[in-house]
Amino acid sequence: MTSPTTSTPAESTAGSFRHMSLASVGGQNLSLIVALGVVLVLFGSLNENYLSWTNMQVIAEAATITGLLAVVQTVVIICGGLDISVGSQAGLASVISAMAFTSAGANPGVGIIAAIGVGAVVGIINGFIIVYGRVNPTIATLAGLAAYKGVAQLLSNGRAQGFVLNDPIFVFLGRGKIVGLPVMIWILIVAAIAVHILLKYTDIGRNIYAIGGNDTAARLAGISINKYLIAVYALIGMVAAIAGILLTARTGSGQPVSGSEGLELKAITAAALGGCALKGGKGGIGGTLLAVALLGALENGLTVQGINTFWQNVAQGTLLVAAVVIQQRRSGERAVGLPA
């Protein structure tokens, strides 16, 4: 008869430490941290300049626009929705900001306010179509992806509009620094903190999780689901507009397509990799930002190594599928088409 095994104090301490680490960081986030570390070490060993402070800033700055869109994509996914049109919204806002800037006699305030206003209107339109048209969010925003891109191209005749590099405000947004960090990165940090506080520490955030987790129970609890959905999509529109303004500031002109195409895939991939359940009710800003960093580091590493940029799309698609597969396995749901 074997005697029961007992753990030593050292083993108990190690087990407690692992448990506390997982509890504080989260298994999903810990996996992302490990993956990010692997990517940094791999490309750092291949190119001595990859891990330089300058290149780290390049990675962070390049990922800022994706990060902004991923943060609000996280909110809408938690709420049980999806927005595939964020890239087109950013492109439309970019064009509007530059055209309004030029029309108002090089007034940056007019350009910025006009872009954010258009972003809010576009977001509300998406929300109304989904809520009162009873259209699936994926279909509604897929239509918006094409429509808003078309509007941006019609307004600009498919060409870059305006020139903002002579304006100090746009130059500051696109190239300025505060305490050694680019302004664009600070904008992402502020937006991420604000949304994190909204989700985790307010009744609004708790209601958003409740709607995504079980909309029927949320409705019976007295939560106005329609108002929340419209407000969430309006928020997406405004943040997408800010991303479009930063795109204008970076490139020096309003871009109807260039720079914004494909942003929706990156934003959704980052949210899914960060732990958002695509059925709603689960997710957080911390995981999303880690996923944005991972995608940015991977994209920059492939570029530095001179690998065909088409492989970046392959990598993004693969990561999105992997994230969804992992979610399905963890949820314990029956695979589609297979016996229980």
Side-chain angles (χ1 to χ4, degrees), residues 10-97:
E11 290 172 338
S12 299
T13 302
S16 299
F17 179 76
R18 285 194 296 269
H19 179 75
M20 291 175 61
S21 299
L22 286 173
S24 60
V25 178
Q28 180 82 18
N29 292 353
L30 192 59
S31 300
L32 289 171
I33 291 171
V34 171
L36 178 60
V38 169
V39 169
L40 293 175
V41 171
L42 173 62
F43 287 113
S45 63
L46 295 174
N47 189 307
E48 60 181 9
N49 295 321
Y50 178 77
L51 293 176
S52 67
W53 173 244
T54 300
N55 193 54
M56 289 297 102
Q57 288 190 82
V58 169
I59 293 173
E61 195 169 355
T64 298
I65 294 176
T66 299
L68 283 171
L69 297 180
V71 163
V72 286
Q73 191 73 250
T74 297
V75 177
V76 75
I77 290 176
I78 291 172
C79 201
L82 191 69
D83 196 336
I84 303 176
S85 66
V86 289
S88 294
Q89 291 182 51
L92 176 59
S94 178
V95 169
I96 293 294
S97 66

Side-chain angles (χ1 to χ4, degrees), residues 101 106 108 162-172 175 249 252-253:
F101 167 81
F163 183 77
V164 302
L165 288 183
N166 290 333
D167 180 77
I169 299 298
F170 276 105
V171 171
F172 177 70
R175 292 169 170 76
S253 58

Side-chain angles (χ1 to χ4, degrees), residues 91-116:
L92 176 59
S94 178
V95 169
I96 293 294
S97 66
M99 293 182 70
F101 167 81
T102 303
S103 301
N107 188 323
V110 172
I112 291 170
I113 292 172
I116 294 176

Side-chain angles (χ1 to χ4, degrees), residues 179-217:
V179 196
L181 282 178
V183 172
M184 294 178 62
I185 297 176
W186 282 113
I187 292 174
L188 173 58
I189 292 172
V190 170
I193 291 174
V195 174
H196 174 74
I197 292 173
L198 175 73
L199 288 175
K200 294 295 185 182
Y201 303 107
T202 69
D203 290 338
I204 293 174
R206 285 185 281 272
N207 290 343
I208 287 174
Y209 277 101
I211 293 170
N214 189 325
D215 58 348
T216 301

Side-chain angles (χ1 to χ4, degrees), residues 265 269 295 298 302 307-322:
L265 174 61
T269 301
L295 290 173
L298 180 62
L302 293 174
I307 297 173
N308 192 315
T309 55
F310 297 149
W311 282 107
Q312 295 174 14
N313 294 329
V314 174
Q316 289 173 26
T318 302
L319 287 172
L320 178 57
V321 170

